[in-house]
Amino acid sequence: MELQPSDSLKIIQEIIQQRKQKYEANGFFLLFWGALIALSGIVQFTMLISDFYPKQSGMVWAVLMPLGFVVNFVILFRNRGEQRKAFLSADWLDWAWFIAGVIALLSFLIPFTSWNNYEIAILTIYFPFAFVALAVALQLKMRLWVTTSLIAIVIIYSVLYCPYGIFLPLLCSIVACLLFLIPGIQLYIHHKKQQNV
């Protein structure tokens, strides 16, 4: 049996819609990580500008990010049966998110202080997430997320040329809002509309 072009297009549209529904249902994780990273950056920036233990301000990240991973896994595996099926049938984008997360986690273990700046940390942590977010946004055909991902990539790359200094944590908050929080809000709103219809 040969597929007609219209049948192929219909199958592709169904796959895109299923993936979009999956991200809308899991939009919580985008909201969670966007808010957590933005909060971490704002708290560290506040500690730096107020001269409140500025040398220990990096501990905000060292405490909140592992805590976020623990909360994330607890929520993910709360319902083991469904999550096992979802894990086994994960598509390549799920694995891309996982790999980006592992890279970010490993980046926290690298001694960046030997470089006397944290620009490399920003690149190693945020670039993988930015490109995965862009891939997801392109696949879901979400123009807003594509736009925010591209803006985030430009901002992340700008750390090589612009000395942000004390404003680097605030920059992390902005990137988190662009990559996670804004798309998460859009997905959450769309999911709520779908449920009410």
Side-chain angles (χ1 to χ4, degrees), residues 147-172:
T147 304
T148 59
S149 296
L150 290 173
I151 293 169
I153 289 169
V154 170
I155 291 171
I156 295 165
Y157 191 68
S158 75
V159 300
L160 294 175
Y161 301 103
C162 300
Y164 290 104
I166 198 170
F167 294 100
L168 208 51
L170 209 52
L171 184 78
C172 292

Side-chain angles (χ1 to χ4, degrees), residues 78-94:
R78 188 174 54 195
N79 189 349
R80 291 182 184 166
E82 289 179 25
Q83 292 304 326
R84 270 194 210 130
K85 290 176 193 171
F87 183 75
L88 293 174
S89 65
D91 63 9
W92 69 274
L93 287 172
D94 293 336

Side-chain angles (χ1 to χ4, degrees), residues 99-172:
I99 291 169
V102 168
I103 291 169
L105 192 61
L106 292 176
S107 295
F108 279 109
L109 304 175
I110 298 172
F112 293 111
T113 53
S114 62
W115 293 323
N116 295 327
N117 61 35
Y118 290 89
E119 285 78 9
I120 302 300
I122 302 301
L123 290 174
T124 59
I125 291 169
Y126 288 104
F127 255 149
F129 283 119
F131 285 108
V132 173
L134 181 61
V136 171
L138 287 169
Q139 199 158 47
L140 297 179
K141 299 182 180 182
M142 293 179 60
R143 290 185 188 133
L144 178 63
W145 202 359
V146 170
T147 304
T148 59
S149 296
L150 290 173
I151 293 169
I153 289 169
V154 170
I155 291 171
I156 295 165
Y157 191 68
S158 75
V159 300
L160 294 175
Y161 301 103
C162 300
Y164 290 104
I166 198 170
F167 294 100
L168 208 51
L170 209 52
L171 184 78
C172 292

Side-chain angles (χ1 to χ4, degrees), residues 14-76:
E14 286 175 12
I15 291 171
I16 291 171
Q17 189 60 33
Q18 286 173 352
R19 185 164 283 145
K20 198 170 206 172
Q21 287 171 350
K22 174 183 158 189
Y23 273 92
E24 287 170 358
N26 291 332
F28 166 79
F29 293 108
L30 291 174
L31 290 171
F32 173 74
W33 281 106
L36 187 65
I37 294 168
L39 175 70
S40 300
I42 291 168
V43 169
Q44 185 184 20
F45 175 71
T46 304
M47 289 175 74
L48 290 171
I49 62 168
S50 66
D51 207 28
F52 182 74
Y53 295 104
K55 292 189 183 220
Q56 290 81 16
S57 65
M59 291 304 292
V60 171
W61 298 93
V63 170
L64 289 180
M65 292 304 106
L67 184 64
F69 278 106
V70 169
V71 170
N72 190 43
F73 283 114
V74 167
I75 292 170
L76 263 176

Side-chain angles (χ1 to χ4, degrees), residues 2-20:
E2 197 171 309
L3 276 176
Q4 298 298 321
S6 61
D7 295 334
S8 297
L9 185 60
K10 190 182 288 186
I11 291 170
I12 291 170
Q13 287 173 340
E14 286 175 12
I15 291 171
I16 291 171
Q17 189 60 33
Q18 286 173 352
R19 185 164 283 145
K20 198 170 206 172

